[in-house]
Structures are given as C-alpha cells and as structure tokens.
Amino acid sequence: MKFYISTTGIKRVTISTTNSSAKGSTVATRRITRRTFLPVVLLLSIVLPFLFVRIAFLVLESASACNSALDCIGWGLLGGSEASLLREELTRALMEAKEGRGTNDGDYRTEGSTESFNVLVNEMTSNQQDIKTFAFRTKAMLSMMELKVQSAREQESINWHLASHGVPKSLHCLCLKLAEEYAVNAMARSHLPPPEYVSRLTDPSFHHVVLLTDNVLAASVVISSTVQHSANPEKLVFHIVTDKKTYIPMNAWFAINPIKSAAVEVKGLHQYDWSHEVNVHVKEMLEIHRLIWSHYNDNLRNANFQHEGVNRRSLEALTPSCLSLLNHLRIYIPELFPDLNKIVFLDEDVVVQHDMSSLWELDLNKKVVGAVVDSWCGDNCCPGKKYKDYLNFSYPIISSNFDHDRCVWLYGVNVFDLEAWRRVKITTNYHKWLKHNLNFGMELWQPGVHPPALLAFEGQVHPIDPSWHVGGLGYRPPQAHNIKMLGDAAVLHFSGPAKPWLDIGFPELRSLWNRHVNFSDKFIRKCRILG
C-alpha cells in the first residue's frame, strides 16, 4: 500500500493497492471539493426549515386526528389522502365561518371572546375540538379585534379634535404679561397706528390687509412674514380686528414691537358704533349659527360619536370656531371697513412666503372675491373638497342650484372687492340662506363659516393661481414629494386642528411657522413659547 499526498494541501489522497497475482493495479480516487460541498449546504438550508415548519404545522393541526405525531408526519409529508381531506375540511370550515353559517353560530361568537391567539390554540388542542369550531372562534376573535381597532381610531380622531380646542398655557401667559405691560408702560398704551400713519388707513393707493383674530402670537407671525417678503413694505396697511378681552394685549404687543415702514391698526369690536339695524342682523346671524351647531352637536353626542359616517367634517361641529364671533363677522367686512374698496383677507393661521403686491392689482372681472379653486394636488383633485362635502344635496333647494362635484373655493387668502360686495348684496344673500336653513330644520349644511358663504358668493368667485394658497396643513403632514411645493407656495395655510402653536402640530411643518416668531422678546421667553 502506498500513500500519495499533494504538496498543495490535503485536497487529494490516493490509495494504491498492488496484488502480486495481478498484472494491473486498481486505483480508487475520492475528492471532496468546495464546489460539491457548498451547493449541498445551501440546499439543506432551504429544505430543512421548510420541512420543520411543515411538520410543526401538521402536528399542531392534526393532533386530534392522528394516533401519534409520527403518523401525522408520515402522511403529511407523503401528501396522502388524509392530508387532502384535512385541507378540504379546513377550507370548508373557513368558508362557513366567513358566511356565518352553522347551527351553533351564535355560540361560537359568544365563546370567541378569546383575546390571545395562543390561548385559543391551547384551548383547542387541549380540548381536542374540531376544525370548524376553531375556524368560527378565530373569526369571532378577529371580528372583536377589528371592532376595537375601529373604535380606537374613532376615539383618537375625536380626542385629536378636542385637543385643538384649548388655549395653550403659554399663549394665555403671553396675553396676561402683555396686559400687565399695558397697565404700567405708557408706550404699550400708544394708539395704533402712530399719527403720521393715520391717513393711510383709508387711502386706496395703499395695500390693505385685514385680519380678524384674538391670537396675539398668530397675528404677529402673519404680519412679520408678510412684511419680510414684501417688495414694498411701506405700502402695507394692516387692519387687526379683535374682541374686547384681547384688545389690550394685542395693542401692547404691536406698540412695543412696532413694524418698520408698515402701518398697523388694532381695533376692538367694542370700538365700533354700528347702527341698530346692523346690530340686530349680527345677533340674528349668531343665534342661527348657534342653533345649527347645537342641533348637529347634539345628534353626534346622542350617537356617542360611533355612528357610521363620523369623519373629519362631522367633527368640525365640535370646534369653537363654529361659534366664534370673529369668524362669523367676516361676512360683515364691508361694514367693518366702510371707507375701503379693495382688501386682502388673511386668516390667523397663515404664513406668507412671497411678495403679495400683485393681489391688489388683480382684475377680478367684476366678481366679488378672488380665491383658489383649482388644485395644486393634481387633476381632478380639490384642495378644499367638493360642494357635496359641505352641503346636503338630498334637498332640492340645494341639488337644483349647485353641482355636488364642483370644487369649493378656499377661505384664508382672499381678495375682496368691497364695492362689488355692496353692489350685489352678498351679506343680504347670506342672511337669506341662513333663514332657509332654519326653515329646513337646520339640515342644509354642517356647522361652520364656509357652507353658507359658498351659497352667498355663488357666481361671484374669480379663481386665482393655486400657488397663492396651499391649505390643509393642519390636517396632515406633507409627503416627501410635496416639500418643494410648500417652498414655492406664496402662502401656507395651517387650516385644520393641528395648528403650529399647539402641541399636536406637525413637527415637520412647525419650523415654517416658528421662523417668524420673535423668540428674542422677553415676554415670549418668560412664557416659555418654544420652537
């Protein structure tokens, strides 16, 4: 016997045996190479887990049908007739569970309150119950879990809207500090605007911007962002209308933080001397809106907010803005500013990113309002939803006069021709529709400012470029492909519950708003208003 060992490593061993009675020799050669070994290991790594899972499944599912685990493995792997019968039985049981058939269907649903699938499997195997029972109990368990998930989502949506109702502690603190400053600091009590700017308040050659708000911080962001991006800030005149309780802190803020070049007027509702007729109409309007809100809100509460169809629009019946006096008074802008003929209206929750001078030069083609109607979100996409999302088209008075699939125009960034408004009597038309809604049991529309405005301004809307107004930023965070669109927009509107000054505001959007907050101000720091 002779041994030959390769010098390149032990990759080949040759054993040679010589028999003296034979003339030849027999050589047996064996080779173990990587090319042979690796495919075998790879094949086993694929096959063995599959076999393990298959065996485990068969043992679990057929424990009650086999005498032993080995029997189950045997016929399961061989794919015998018993395996086919098991599959057929399981399929039939699942179909019956899906259709809810079976004599003891109600019993299965009662028993199917198991919350853990592992507990259910243990119960079924220990009691050796059949496949049909397992299928029905599994269906009952999944149905129960689905109901819980749906209920949790509805409650989350309700809580999200309720969280938007309160005034943050920091904003309340800011108003209190400014009111204290108004009492002790003569500069905070300065009349706005300064005497040298008073003549601008009614001068049509200036660019007049109107805000109706009781939020000091939000108003400061709107004005600072507008001035910052204006090509001619010296032509801007801001008219802030607020309520009596906010007038003092609002005046104090803009008195001790004056806006360079631009004129700012702060006026409280208590300073208006309206006629008896206007006062009566305003009270009547507010009462009808309160009745609509109460009617719709009571219906939701009686249904415990669980009825089918509760959605974002329905929950807006809970928002305080539906009862806000300042919100509803936008229909009285011509009465608030009798000496003005053309204004740009901005909501308190907007941020201006580009120069707005061209809006005052816009030709409205004898219409009353310029607003965004078409969408920046693509074809057949409405940025503010459609008429059917606001109005009840089951009533002929609505369905015969309006198209349910038409896109609505957006509030928040609007050009108003007040002269045309007075000429076509928009406010009178608005009151007419309020009385119609009262006569129809307050069912013509959901609570809010926008629905009756859609009816009152019908035929008087001039579409403006969609880039002027990107809204809905308080309902959802932007997607990655929309980031550039936000940068190109002239005005960002945080319409929706998630305002940027609230904790529920979207972090990815808050920076767009925070960049215009004066964090160096001592009152901002004392009240811990953080970005």
Side-chain angles (χ1 to χ4, degrees):
M1 176 182 294
K2 297 180 181 180
F3 292 86
Y4 298 94
I5 303 176
S6 172
T7 58
T8 60
I10 308 177
K11 291 187 178 180
R12 185 178 70 175
V13 178
T14 303
I15 303 176
S16 176
T17 304
T18 305
N19 193 331
S20 60
S21 62
K23 294 181 179 181
S25 62
T26 303
V27 180
T29 304
R30 300 178 182 274
R31 297 189 180 189
I32 304 175
T33 66
R34 294 178 185 173
R35 294 181 179 179
T36 304
F37 180 71
L38 290 178
V40 172
V41 173
L42 182 60
L43 181 62
L44 290 176
S45 67
I46 295 174
V47 173
L48 288 179
F50 171 76
L51 291 177
F52 175 77
V53 173
R54 175 67 174 165
I55 292 170
F57 176 78
L58 291 173
V59 170
L60 177 63
E61 293 294 331
S62 307
S64 61
C66 306
N67 294 328
S68 66
L70 291 176
D71 292 338
C72 291
I73 296 171
W75 59 257
L77 292 176
L78 295 175
S81 59
E82 294 183 5
S84 299
L85 291 175
L86 176 62
R87 285 194 295 270
E88 292 177 3
E89 182 180 356
L90 180 59
T91 302
R92 184 166 52 253
L94 291 173
M95 291 300 296
E96 290 183 4
K98 178 181 178 182
E99 297 171 1
R101 292 189 284 115
T103 54
N104 298 321
D105 188 22
D107 296 336
Y108 290 130
R109 288 175 183 167
T110 304
E111 295 174 2
S113 59
T114 309
E115 295 188 4
S116 169
F117 184 75
N118 290 334
V119 172
L120 176 60
V121 171
N122 290 336
E123 289 179 0
M124 301 303 296
T125 54
S126 62
N127 297 331
Q128 294 189 352
Q129 296 181 359
D130 56 27
I131 290 290
K132 184 176 180 180
T133 303
F134 178 79
F136 271 92
R137 291 194 63 183
T138 301
K139 177 198 173 186
M141 182 184 69
L142 293 176
S143 297
M144 179 189 65
M145 290 182 176
E146 184 179 1
L147 288 175
K148 287 186 175 181
V149 170
Q150 182 181 359
S151 177
R153 286 176 177 171
E154 291 176 351
Q155 191 61 46
E156 178 190 25
S157 182
I158 292 171
N159 291 338
W160 193 54
H161 278 263
L162 291 176
S164 69
H165 295 180
V167 177
K169 181 180 178 180
S170 57
L171 296 189
H172 184 63
C173 167
L174 180 62
C175 283
L176 291 178
K177 294 294 183 184
L178 290 171
E180 291 177 0
E181 189 70 10
Y182 186 91
V184 300
N185 187 346
M187 180 179 292
R189 296 193 296 272
S190 300
H191 186 272
L192 296 176
E196 61 270 23
Y197 288 165
V198 170
S199 61
R200 300 183 184 184
L201 297 181
T202 58
D203 191 335
S205 65
F206 284 86
H207 297 162
H208 298 271
V209 183
V210 171
L211 288 85
L212 277 66
T213 178
D214 60 355
N215 188 324
V216 177
L217 187 63
S220 71
V221 168
V222 174
I223 292 178
S224 63
S225 64
T226 304
V227 171
Q228 179 181 337
H229 295 97
S230 175
N232 299 293
E234 68 280 356
K235 295 198 68 174
L236 290 170
V237 179
F238 295 94
H239 304 266
I240 303 176
V241 179
T242 188
D243 55 21
K244 188 175 182 179
K245 68 178 178 60
T246 313
Y247 169 75
I248 287 177
M250 187 77 75
N251 192 92
W253 174 268
F254 287 102
I256 61 180
N257 295 285
I259 305 297
K260 293 182 179 179
S261 302
V264 178
E265 177 193 29
V266 177
K267 199 168 183 179
L269 291 175
H270 60 288
Q271 296 175 322
Y272 282 92
D273 186 19
W274 281 345
S275 66
H276 175 72
E277 182 182 6
V278 173
N279 282 326
V280 169
H281 287 162
V282 170
K283 290 179 181 179
E284 181 184 52
M285 174 191 69
L286 293 176
E287 178 61 20
I288 294 177
H289 278 296
R290 188 194 65 79
L291 290 173
I292 296 170
W293 181 90
S294 179
H295 170 74
Y296 200 85
N297 191 48
D298 289 346
N299 288 343
L300 284 176
R301 292 187 181 277
N302 291 337
N304 198 27
F305 306 102
Q306 301 300 317
H307 66 78
E308 184 179 359
V310 169
N311 52 34
R312 188 184 76 190
R313 297 294 178 190
S314 301
L315 290 173
E316 287 183 359
L318 299 174
T319 59
S321 62
C322 291
L323 294 177
S324 169
L325 172 60
L326 290 170
N327 257 355
H328 291 302
L329 279 180
R330 63 182 66 188
I331 198 65
Y332 277 90
I333 286 178
E335 282 73 25
L336 291 169
F337 304 99
D339 298 321
L340 297 180
N341 290 329
K342 195 170 191 178
I343 60 108
V344 167
F345 173 83
L346 296 178
D347 264 340
E348 63 178 15
D349 51 353
V350 305
V351 171
V352 178
Q353 299 190 125
H354 296 298
D355 177 53
M356 301 180 66
S357 301
S358 60
L359 283 181
W360 285 274
E361 301 167 2
L362 187 66
D363 182 7
L364 298 181
N365 294 321
K366 300 183 179 180
K367 305 291 186 182
V368 174
V369 55
V372 170
V373 179
D374 298 326
S375 177
W376 34 260
C377 54
D379 296 334
N380 300 320
C381 172
C382 292
K385 300 299 180 182
K386 300 181 179 180
Y387 273 66
K388 64 183 178 183
D389 297 309
Y390 291 93
L391 307 177
N392 189 347
F393 278 84
S394 63
Y395 288 89
I397 193 174
I398 299 294
S399 58
S400 61
N401 290 291
F402 305 96
D403 179 4
H404 70 287
D405 260 343
R406 186 151 56 102
C407 293
V408 303
W409 58 274
L410 298 182
Y411 255 138
V413 183
N414 306 109
V415 186
F416 286 119
D417 184 340
L418 301 186
E419 190 175 14
W421 185 320
R422 300 181 186 103
R423 185 179 64 252
V424 298
K425 300 181 178 179
I426 293 293
T427 305
T428 302
N429 196 27
Y430 184 92
H431 276 273
K432 187 183 299 182
W433 277 106
L434 285 180
K435 292 179 180 178
H436 281 319
N437 197 17
L438 199 60
N439 294 335
F440 283 93
M442 295 166 290
E443 294 287 343
L444 295 185
W445 62 75
Q446 297 183 6
V449 175
H450 210 166
L454 294 176
L455 306 177
F457 282 92
E458 176 65 14
Q460 295 296 329
V461 181
H462 176 75
I464 63 177
D465 191 278
S467 64
W468 277 112
H469 184 178
V470 173
L473 301 183
Y475 286 114
R476 60 196 178 278
Q479 298 179 354
H481 64 275
N482 287 333
I483 297 299
K484 183 179 183 302
M485 175 267 296
L486 294 182
D488 294 339
V491 180
L492 301 179
H493 191 186
F494 292 85
S495 52
K499 304 298 185 187
W501 56 82
L502 298 176
D503 289 338
I504 62 172
F506 301 117
E508 53 268 59
L509 292 175
R510 190 178 286 121
S511 61
L512 299 173
W513 190 81
N514 281 340
R515 67 180 62 170
H516 300 289
V517 177
N518 183 10
F519 290 107
S520 63
D521 181 80
K522 64 178 182 179
F523 300 114
I524 297 289
R525 295 199 306 272
K526 285 181 180 179
C527 293
R528 299 181 181 180
I529 297 175
L530 302 176

